[in-house]
Amino acid sequence: MNYRKGVSYVTSLAVGLSFAYLVYIDFCALRNEFHRVPYSAPIPYKAVTTRPAAMITNTTGSTGSMTRHCKPVQRIVYLKVHKTGSGTTASILDRYGFKHNLTFAVPNKPATIGRPLSNHTYKFDSMIRCYGQFDMLTNHMVYNKKDVDKFIPNAVYIASLREPVSHFESLFYQMKVAKQLEIPAGVKDPIKAFFKNFINYDVDNFRPNYQLRYLDISDSEIKDGNFARIFKKLDSDIHLFIIMEYYLESLVLLKNLLCWDLDDVVYVPQHVRINSNRHGEISESLRTTIESYNFGDMKLYDYYNRTLWSRIEAADQDRFWREVRELRERVASIQKICVNSTGVLNGRKWIENYAPIDKQYCNDYVRQVGTDGNIKLKKERIDELVKNCKN
């Protein structure tokens, strides 16, 4: 009898210990899952820019109810680098500017504000004479900071970057380089053909290190190779680089920098290539060739990608990743409401926690920055201000 009781006791103890062990294992797994860094993030390093992680800060009890200890930034210059997700970012900034009746510097003619900016900006002289400045610049321009500072003083400067191999491939097809160079349509890999003979080719503005050159870094500076000096210059000029591959994380940093609300950086993606316009995987050998061709952009991207993660590491982790998750959910909701499967604007809809959604509401999210209609709205605002000034 005692023997049986002993066996029963040992058996019960073994079962109990096994159960406790399984609970412990599950707890450890859950803890590791909770602390796992989202995405395959590069290891941050401490070489942050000369700017603080958040030049302007705010505090929140929750992302839905803000207690501000800062003033929202409303003077912004955006360096709209081609094919870096810049159309989407510019639409975010434009929506905020329209909402708050801000003035935009826009080109006399669609596309790009050339240099000198004073000669290529719509009603520049009248605006400067009457008001002394513009509030925002989000269109493509030939960038020179000293030039811009004269009519958008004390602005926050933002720029976008993209992984250079992906950027090169996207830009190559967007600019129709193969067609310009008369590479035969039957060539299986036009990018490979480009590199085989590129020294003999001449395409306007399609040269190595496109992203660096857009930021007013000259070919001679790139060739000189003093990237410490280049980054020091960019650090002092530009407050935040948005990294396309970590777009949501970048937007949360942008929201904090500008002292905006999370809804201010909700977006509908712009200018996204459909699958039929994509051109397959790039081979490792071709990838190496593109990286070598754009060696300056590779260094630029690596530096500011790491800087981005340094700033993320310096943020309140619980709050930061909570806001990333909330932003992802809000972006998905707006896309579901405002854009159907063919990319066409939907009609009137309703979404929980939002007011009734109509076509105009959605139009604010899908309005494209470079279109005639968008520029017309900006010019009408300037016309009104100039007219009131004269009166």
Side-chain angles (χ1 to χ4, degrees):
M1 191 70 178
N2 291 338
Y3 171 76
R4 288 180 179 177
K5 286 184 177 179
V7 171
S8 176
Y9 175 78
V10 171
T11 303
S12 299
L13 181 61
V15 170
L17 289 173
S18 298
F19 178 76
Y21 177 73
L22 290 173
V23 170
Y24 174 74
I25 293 297
D26 286 342
F27 169 76
C28 290
L30 180 63
R31 182 188 60 186
N32 290 337
E33 183 67 25
F34 181 78
H35 287 287
R36 188 177 299 157
V37 177
Y39 315 107
S40 54
I43 298 174
Y45 75 152
K46 299 301 181 183
V48 296
T49 65
T50 55
R51 303 276 179 170
M55 189 183 73
I56 302 169
T57 60
N58 57 35
T59 60
T60 60
S62 68
T63 52
S65 177
M66 293 193 77
T67 303
R68 278 205 174 92
H69 294 280
C70 58
K71 183 178 179 181
V73 174
Q74 296 188 341
R75 197 172 300 160
I76 300 165
V77 175
Y78 178 50
L79 306 186
K80 193 173 180 285
V81 183
H82 289 274
K83 308 308 293 181
T84 61
S86 59
T88 301
T89 304
S91 73
I92 292 171
L93 300 173
D94 274 11
R95 190 177 74 246
Y96 185 92
F98 284 128
K99 178 181 177 181
H100 294 276
N101 293 317
L102 304 181
T103 57
F104 294 87
V106 294
N108 286 318
K109 297 180 180 180
T112 301
I113 301 179
R115 199 184 277 178
L117 299 178
S118 57
N119 292 348
H120 295 85
T121 301
Y122 183 69
K123 294 196 174 178
F124 179 89
D125 291 336
S126 296
M127 281 295 293
I128 297 303
R129 183 178 65 254
C130 291
Y131 302 101
Q133 64 186 44
F134 293 84
D135 296 315
M136 299 179 78
L137 195 165
T138 61
N139 284 84
H140 291 297
M141 64 173 160
V142 180
Y143 172 61
N144 179 273
K145 189 173 187 300
K146 290 182 179 179
D147 217 2
V148 178
D149 281 344
K150 293 175 183 177
F151 64 97
I152 310 182
N154 304 313
V156 168
Y157 280 73
I158 305 159
S160 293
L161 296 176
R162 180 176 180 177
E163 189 277 318
V165 175
S166 171
H167 180 259
F168 177 90
E169 185 266 350
S170 181
L171 197 64
F172 183 91
Y173 289 107
Q174 191 264 346
M175 293 181 66
K176 297 181 171 59
V177 173
K179 184 177 181 179
Q180 290 188 59
L181 299 176
E182 299 182 349
I183 297 175
V187 172
K188 184 178 180 180
D189 193 337
I191 292 181
K192 188 175 181 179
F194 168 82
F195 279 111
K196 188 175 181 180
N197 301 287
F198 75 86
I199 195 169
N200 299 318
Y201 291 162
D202 182 22
V203 181
D204 289 342
N205 209 31
F206 191 78
R207 304 200 308 277
N209 306 303
Y210 181 95
Q211 297 180 81
L212 262 176
R213 289 188 294 103
Y214 195 99
L215 301 174
D216 197 30
I217 303 300
S218 66
D219 289 336
S220 60
E221 288 177 287
I222 299 170
K223 186 176 180 181
D224 182 53
N226 191 338
F227 285 94
R229 183 169 59 195
I230 289 173
F231 296 147
K232 183 177 181 180
K233 173 185 175 182
L234 294 176
D235 285 347
S236 66
D237 288 352
I238 300 173
H239 299 78
L240 177 67
F241 280 91
I242 291 172
I243 301 296
M244 180 177 171
E245 286 72 22
Y246 301 105
Y247 194 59
L248 292 174
E249 293 90 338
S250 296
L251 288 183
V252 171
L253 289 178
L254 177 67
K255 186 264 307 179
N256 294 336
L257 174 70
L258 299 180
C259 190
W260 288 5
D261 293 333
L262 198 63
D263 276 335
D264 291 327
V265 294
V266 173
Y267 65 92
V268 171
Q270 306 278 344
H271 308 302
V272 178
R273 284 187 294 174
I274 59 176
N275 288 334
S276 60
N277 289 335
R278 298 183 184 275
H279 301 272
E281 295 293 326
I282 294 175
S283 67
E284 285 303 315
S285 61
L286 185 55
R287 173 175 289 276
T288 300
T289 300
I290 295 173
E291 289 175 352
S292 178
Y293 182 73
N294 294 288
F295 74 96
D297 277 358
M298 291 296 297
K299 290 182 179 293
L300 174 74
Y301 181 84
D302 178 68
Y303 179 81
Y304 283 108
N305 186 29
R306 289 177 177 271
T307 300
L308 177 88
W309 286 94
S310 292
R311 295 172 77 153
I312 291 172
E313 186 183 53
D316 180 318
Q317 295 299 289
D318 288 341
R319 174 188 165 193
F320 180 85
W321 292 113
R322 182 179 68 248
E323 291 189 330
V324 169
R325 289 192 299 271
E326 289 187 16
L327 180 58
R328 182 182 293 110
E329 292 168 0
R330 297 185 195 190
V331 168
S333 295
I334 288 294
Q335 287 186 250
K336 185 177 180 180
I337 295 168
C338 292
V339 182
N340 64 27
S341 59
T342 61
V344 178
L345 191 68
N346 279 331
R348 190 175 182 85
K349 295 285 183 180
W350 177 277
I351 182 173
E352 186 180 1
N353 297 327
Y354 280 82
I357 304 295
D358 58 21
K359 189 171 182 178
Q360 182 55 47
Y361 180 93
C362 287
N363 189 58
D364 291 339
Y365 282 91
V366 300
R367 185 189 293 116
Q368 296 184 359
V369 174
T371 60
D372 291 342
N374 179 280
I375 292 178
K376 181 182 177 182
L377 287 173
K378 295 176 179 178
K379 287 183 175 180
E380 286 174 353
R381 171 66 174 156
I382 293 172
D383 290 338
E384 179 185 357
L385 288 171
V386 171
K387 180 181 178 180
N388 291 337
C389 175
K390 290 181 179 179
N391 292 337

